[in-house]
């Protein structure tokens, strides 16, 4: 029996790092196991240590790590220090600026760079680079300086950054009203029969794995937010397909979730199962070929290629385009060569 007598600080001096409301259908589960599905980069030891320190609250009461969560429990994780993402520090990190004026800049983000600080990624982000380079960037609704929109860590490509309050308001409205233009290029598993199509399905947190999102339809649609993705086949490469995806909405992981939903998970998308061989033969040579492709492209095959919007000051529509990065292009070339020389099932 462990000795559970944490010395608790006054709650007014604590900072909230995480907050969850347990789903209605949740079966009883130890809170240390439960939180491992919700908190990125968390280990069970860290969660148990947080419980021992009195940092985990359920319905405003501290609990042990053995506490079993119940439906609609309100879980909060509080610490005496503010979340790291609130402690923004400028860092001299090079960024690829492809356009800049007094109102905004357009950045070509490399794969591997996190857009804003968050749990597990407190430095080396695009925001760290931006606040080193610019003073007094306007905050968005989430208190993140300059950011109008975001793309995932391992997605490469274009982002627009606002330098003034007017630009932030104007650009954010364009994204909200769906008048901005965003086109991505992706490699997905499988042979897509139709030349183009549209995926519509509300997107929300996966009920069992909070690090994923999923599609909710029918009576469950209210668990997510409306999301629409238009896709077009650019090239069929045997067991994978190169597609263009245009976003009508901008939900977290939208393309990754929608393409998986229609049976075409992004190539090497580890979070959604695309790092497994989902299509193809059982031959050892094929397995080696795919693993070589994974080595060439050690991330999900997704690039934010084109970005268009009206300039907040001039009203001129501006469109920017970037080439597919080398890692993704090499992977495409490998599949082109393979599909030419192999008889596919």
């Amino acid at each position: 029996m462990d000795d559970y007598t944490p010395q608790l600080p006054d709650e007014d001096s604590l900072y909230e790092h995480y907050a969850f409301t347990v789903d209605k259908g949740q079966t009883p589960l130890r809170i240390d196991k439960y939180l491992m599905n919700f908190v990125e980069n968390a280990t069970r030891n860290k969660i148990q240590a947080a419980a021992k320190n009195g940092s985990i609250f359920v319905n405003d009461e501290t609990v042990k790590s053995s506490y079993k969560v119940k439906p609609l429990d309100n879980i909060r994780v509080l610490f005496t220090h503010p979340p790291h993402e609130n402690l923004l520090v400028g860092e001299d990190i090079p960024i690829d600026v492809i356009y800049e004026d007094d109102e905004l800049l357009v950045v070509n983000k490399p794969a591997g760079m996190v857009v804003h600080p968050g749990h597990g990624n407190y430095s080396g982000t695009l925001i760290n680079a931006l606040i080193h380079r610019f003073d007094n960037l306007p905050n968005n609704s989430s208190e993140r300086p300059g950011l109008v929109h975001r793309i995932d860590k391992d997605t490469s490509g274009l982002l627009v950054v606002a330098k003034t309050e007017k630009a932030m308001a104007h650009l954010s409205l364009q994204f909200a009203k769906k008048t901005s233009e965003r086109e991505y290029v992706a490699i997905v598993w499988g042979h897509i029969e139709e030349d183009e199509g549209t995926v519509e399905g509300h997107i929300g947190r996966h009920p069992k794995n909070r690090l994923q999102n999923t599609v909710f339809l029918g009576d469950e649609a209210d668990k997510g937010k409306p999301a629409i993705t238009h896709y077009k086949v650019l090239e069929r490469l045997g067991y994978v397909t190169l597609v263009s995806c245009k976003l009508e909405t901008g939900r977290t992981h939208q393309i990754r979730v929608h393409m998986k939903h229609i049976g075409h998970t992004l190539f090497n998308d580890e979070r959604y199962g695309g790092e497994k061989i989902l299509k193809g033969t059982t031959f050892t040579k094929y397995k080696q070929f795919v693993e070589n492709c994974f080595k060439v492209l050690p991330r999900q095959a997704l690039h934010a290629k084109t970005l268009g919007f009206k300039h907040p000051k001039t009203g001129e529509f501006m469109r920017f385009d970037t080439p597919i990065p080398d890692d993704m292009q090499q992977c495409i070339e490998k599949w082109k060569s393979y599909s030419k020389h192999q008889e596919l099932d």
Side-chain angles (χ1 to χ4, degrees), residues 43 130 132 164 226 235 292 295:
T43 64
L130 290 171
H132 172 81
T164 67
E235 194 165 0
N292 285 336
K295 286 176 184 173

Side-chain angles (χ1 to χ4, degrees), residues 19-21 23 34 37-39 205-213 271:
F20 308 106
T21 300
D23 292 335
Y34 178 84
N37 291 328
F38 282 69
V39 179
R205 289 285 186 193
H206 195 291
K208 293 186 178 176
N209 185 343
R210 300 292 288 193
L211 303 183
Q212 288 185 8
N213 284 342
R271 184 164 294 190

Side-chain angles (χ1 to χ4, degrees), residues 17-20 31-43 46-47 75 77 79 119-120 122 209-211 271:
H17 284 237
Y18 301 94
F20 308 106
I31 197 163
D32 51 0
K33 288 186 178 179
Y34 178 84
L35 285 174
M36 282 179 69
N37 291 328
F38 282 69
V39 179
E40 198 165 1
N41 300 318
T43 64
K46 284 183 182 176
I47 293 167
I75 300 173
V77 183
F79 293 109
H119 300 290
Y122 305 124
N209 185 343
R210 300 292 288 193
L211 303 183
R271 184 164 294 190

Side-chain angles (χ1 to χ4, degrees), residues 18-194:
Y18 301 94
F20 308 106
T21 300
V22 179
D23 292 335
K24 288 179 183 177
Q26 177 67 48
T27 54
L29 182 67
R30 281 178 61 111
I31 197 163
D32 51 0
K33 288 186 178 179
Y34 178 84
L35 285 174
M36 282 179 69
N37 291 328
F38 282 69
V39 179
E40 198 165 1
N41 300 318
T43 64
R44 197 166 174 189
N45 283 344
K46 284 183 182 176
I47 293 167
Q48 289 174 341
K52 198 166 185 180
N53 292 335
S55 295
I56 299 177
F57 291 72
V58 176
N59 305 324
D60 296 323
E61 299 287 338
T62 56
V63 296
K64 301 180 184 182
S65 57
S66 59
Y67 174 85
K68 291 196 174 175
V69 299
K70 300 186 295 297
L72 302 180
D73 271 351
N74 179 250
I75 300 173
R76 299 165 71 211
V77 183
L78 308 174
F79 293 109
T80 54
H81 60 88
H84 287 275
E85 61 265 38
N86 295 348
L87 304 173
L88 296 176
V89 177
E91 295 179 63
D92 188 6
I93 302 165
I95 49 177
D96 182 10
V97 177
I98 66 169
Y99 174 83
E100 182 177 358
D101 62 26
D102 290 342
E103 298 290 322
L104 58 89
L105 66 151
V106 177
V107 175
N108 185 20
K109 185 191 83 67
M113 175 183 262
V114 177
V115 172
H116 58 78
H119 300 290
N121 296 287
Y122 305 124
S123 64
T125 74
L126 179 61
I127 281 191
N128 294 116
L130 290 171
I131 62 175
H132 172 81
R133 183 168 176 154
F134 302 105
D135 293 326
N136 304 316
L137 285 173
N139 280 340
N140 65 13
S141 58
S142 301
E143 301 297 312
R144 287 169 178 153
L147 282 196
V148 178
H149 61 127
R150 59 179 292 277
I151 57 179
D152 297 329
K153 173 186 176 183
D154 288 324
T155 299
S156 53
L158 295 173
L159 286 160
V160 61
V161 176
K163 292 169 70 174
T164 67
E165 295 285 355
K166 178 184 175 185
M168 176 65 78
H170 197 285
L171 291 165
S172 297
L173 193 60
Q174 289 184 58
F175 278 78
K177 288 190 170 182
K178 307 169 189 173
T179 58
S180 61
E181 179 184 325
R182 284 171 290 170
E183 180 185 10
Y184 291 69
V185 174
I187 306 169
V188 301
W189 277 108
H191 177 87
I192 299 180
E193 295 288 343
E194 59 278 8

